[in-house]
Every structure is written in C-alpha cells, then in structure tokens.
Amino acid sequence: LRELEASQRTLLAEHEERIHVLEMERRRLHNDIQELKGNIRVFCRVRPLLPEERERQRGLPHLHFPPQDPRSLSQVGRERRAELRYDFSFDRVFPPGASQQEIFQEIQLLVQVCPKYPT
C-alpha cells in the first residue's frame, strides 16, 4: 500500500505540474488574443427608465438600436432640434431590456477572475 500511495502521490504531483503549465499557456494565449484584438473594449448598456422618467419622457423615442447592428446606437434630436442625429459605435450596445445573463455571455471570455459570492 505504501508503494501504491507513493506512486499515486508522484502521479498527482506530475498532473498538478501539468495543470499549472497548461494554465500558464492558456493565460499567455488569452493575452495574445487580447493584444491582437486590442486591449480596450467599450460596451454601452442603456439602463431602463425609472418610473418618474417614463412618465416625463414617454419612453426613449430619441434612442435607436438598429437590430441588424448590435454595435451601434443613434440619438436623434429632441423638441427644438429634431433634425440632429448622433451615431455612436461601441464593441457592443445593450438596450434597456438586456438581461445580466445576456451581458455576461458577451463578456465571459474576457473575464479572467470572477470571485464566487454566496447566492
């Protein structure tokens, strides 16, 4: 049994070393991918209107989220300058109805460490 235990410990140590080497390689490759893509990502999340804003503004008619382009957001002028239009581009735009899960699915590959909190 002692010989078996010793061989198992040796095997475990070898596997732990292999896991460490592979994790370091994964991190290096992840960093290489990030550098190739560019290190800065800009996401835009438009929050839902608060109840008092809903009454006052009657929604978000001045914001447009093109369904065919999840990277764009357009703002058209209000009352006095309706002809003005501003177009913005981001790595991704999340409209007010986007869920936390949808946002996390988009960024999960970018997250290196995420602490686990009790639920």
Side-chain angles (χ1 to χ4, degrees):
L1 283 174
R2 288 186 181 138
E3 288 177 14
L4 181 61
E5 181 184 3
S7 68
Q8 291 296 319
R9 285 181 192 254
T10 303
L11 188 60
L12 179 62
E14 289 172 5
H15 285 292
E16 286 175 345
E17 177 62 27
R18 178 83 173 131
I19 288 170
H20 177 71
V21 168
L22 291 172
E23 176 62 18
M24 296 307 289
E25 177 69 5
R26 185 199 67 79
R27 287 183 184 194
R28 186 188 66 73
L29 291 171
H30 175 79
N31 290 337
D32 289 349
I33 289 170
Q34 293 307 311
E35 286 182 30
L36 289 171
K37 287 181 171 181
N39 287 327
I40 297 175
R41 303 280 182 276
V42 180
F43 295 98
C44 173
R45 182 180 191 189
V46 179
R47 68 169 172 79
L49 291 173
L50 299 172
E52 59 271 10
E53 292 171 327
R54 245 184 253 126
E55 292 171 14
R56 188 174 58 231
Q57 294 180 2
R58 295 188 187 100
L60 295 170
H62 59 287
L63 294 179
H64 297 277
F65 304 92
Q68 72 279 5
D69 186 6
R71 297 172 168 232
S72 298
L73 170 66
S74 296
Q75 178 183 1
V76 293
R78 295 197 199 178
E79 297 92 32
R80 291 174 273 186
R81 308 277 319 261
E83 72 280 357
L84 288 179
R85 180 185 173 102
Y86 302 99
D87 296 315
F88 302 96
S89 292
F90 301 93
D91 286 300
R92 178 71 197 267
V93 174
F94 297 97
S99 68
Q100 290 291 93
Q101 183 177 0
E102 181 182 349
I103 294 167
F104 182 73
Q105 285 175 349
E106 181 70 26
I107 66 164
Q108 68 184 346
L109 296 177
L110 300 174
V111 176
Q112 287 288 309
V113 177
C114 184
K116 184 176 181 179
Y117 294 103
T119 54

